[in-house]
Every structure is written in structure tokens, then in C-alpha cells.
Amino acid sequence: MKEIGLTFNLKYLLLVLLFLSFQSCGYNLRENPSFFIEKNIAVVANSSSLNQLFIEELKKTTDNVLDYKVEKIDELDLIIKINNHQIERFSSGQGAGARTVEVRIEYSLNFSIENLASSKKENYEIRDIKYIAFDDSQILAMEAEESDISKDFVRFAIRKIELLSASLKE
């Protein structure tokens, strides 16, 4: 019985020593470099609040984002055209007395990416769903949570667009 406990302690000690050795030599996980860095990107979309949020979050990723207008097409690397961008709320669960107890929030983004360097253009659609608990007494907290979920949806879409646009390069 002592041999089992001893081998567990040795495995634990070995794991700790391995972790310390990686930390001492400066090893860390690689960060994903952004494909959008040093790219000139134009976003063509209507002026809805969701598209404005998309552009604001995209500008946090790269500094070279032009909104709405494509003026100097020769200097652009990517054109992202947003065709349909929406968030919808649905009552997904009902409790006693037919009262809503859960809300389903659906995100949908239909867009095209055009890589001007390789003359490729592809249409894509991104969908995501989140569920949140609904409580009549906490309406303001729920609105703040919905706002955070909207930002999460947009950040998720930007990461996906970054991966998709990287696959369109020469």
C-alpha cells in the first residue's frame, strides 16, 4: 500500500520539477500572431449599431481599418463586406405560469471577404448561440449581460474572419 502512495508522490514531484524547469528556462505558450497586423482592411456595411461595434472591435485588432467607403482600392489588402449582421432573442424555456425562465440569443453574420492581392472572393456565414437565465427582477443586469454577450459574439466573429482571411492569401 505504501508503494502506491510513494509512486503518486514521485509523479507529483516530477510534475512540479518539470513545471519549474520550463518556467526557469523562459518557456511559455506561443501567442497567435494576428493576420490583420499591417493589413489595410475596408469594411463595407450599413451603419447599424452592431456593425459599429464590429468595426470598433476590429480596430482594436489592427489600426488600418477603413469604414464604409472604399476610396483607395489600390492600397487595400482585404475588403470585408457585411451583408447581414444580426442578433435575435428568443424565449427558450418557460416555467410555471408560462413565464420565461431562459432566453436564447442567436448571432448571425453573413459576409464576404475579398483578398485583392490574390483576387479571391468568398462568402461566409458565422452563427453562434448562447443561453442566459431570465429573471424579471434583474432586467438591468440582464441588459448588461446581453451587451457583454454581443461583444463576445463580435470578438468570436473577428477571430473566425481572421482565420478565414488567412486561408485566402496567395
Side-chain angles (χ1 to χ4, degrees):
M1 194 64 148
K2 286 188 174 185
E3 292 178 23
I4 294 173
L6 185 62
T7 58
F8 177 74
N9 287 336
L10 285 175
K11 287 179 184 179
Y12 181 71
L13 181 63
L14 182 62
L15 182 65
V16 169
L17 289 176
L18 184 65
F19 176 74
L20 289 175
S21 66
F22 278 141
Q23 287 294 358
S24 65
C25 72
Y27 175 80
N28 61 356
L29 296 175
R30 289 188 345 191
E31 294 181 15
N32 291 337
S34 177
F35 176 75
F36 289 150
I37 291 177
E38 298 180 7
K39 298 281 185 195
N40 292 321
I41 302 168
V43 178
V44 180
N46 61 19
S47 60
S48 71
S49 61
L50 194 56
N51 289 338
Q52 289 288 337
L53 177 64
F54 179 84
I55 291 169
E56 288 172 17
E57 291 296 324
L58 187 60
K59 283 182 178 179
K60 291 178 183 176
T61 305
T62 182
D63 296 330
N64 306 328
V65 177
L66 305 170
D67 334 357
Y68 309 119
K69 301 175 199 162
V70 181
E71 295 172 355
K72 298 179 182 176
I73 200 162
D74 297 335
E75 297 177 4
L76 293 176
D77 298 312
L78 289 173
I79 297 175
I80 301 171
K81 183 177 181 194
I82 298 176
N83 302 322
N84 186 14
H85 197 194
Q86 63 184 359
I87 293 179
E88 295 179 315
R89 293 177 50 188
F90 298 97
S91 175
S92 63
Q94 293 186 345
R99 300 188 102 187
T100 301
V101 293
E102 188 176 55
V103 175
R104 182 180 79 222
I105 301 176
E106 292 185 1
Y107 176 77
S108 173
L109 173 61
N110 189 331
F111 64 98
S112 64
I113 302 174
E114 184 175 357
N115 187 337
L116 297 176
S118 64
S119 301
K120 291 183 181 177
K121 182 178 181 180
E122 295 286 334
N123 293 319
Y124 299 101
E125 184 173 18
I126 297 174
R127 292 184 169 273
D128 200 2
I129 297 174
K130 295 212 181 204
Y131 295 91
I132 58 173
F134 181 79
D135 187 4
D136 291 335
S137 64
Q138 297 180 348
I139 295 293
L140 293 176
M142 197 169 124
E143 287 177 5
E145 187 175 358
E146 284 182 26
S147 174
D148 291 342
I149 287 174
S150 296
K151 287 180 183 177
D152 289 343
F153 280 146
V154 169
R155 288 182 194 126
F156 170 74
I158 289 172
R159 284 193 305 269
K160 293 288 272 188
I161 290 172
E162 189 172 10
L163 291 172
L164 293 169
S165 59
S167 69
L168 280 179
K169 66 182 184 180
E170 298 92 348

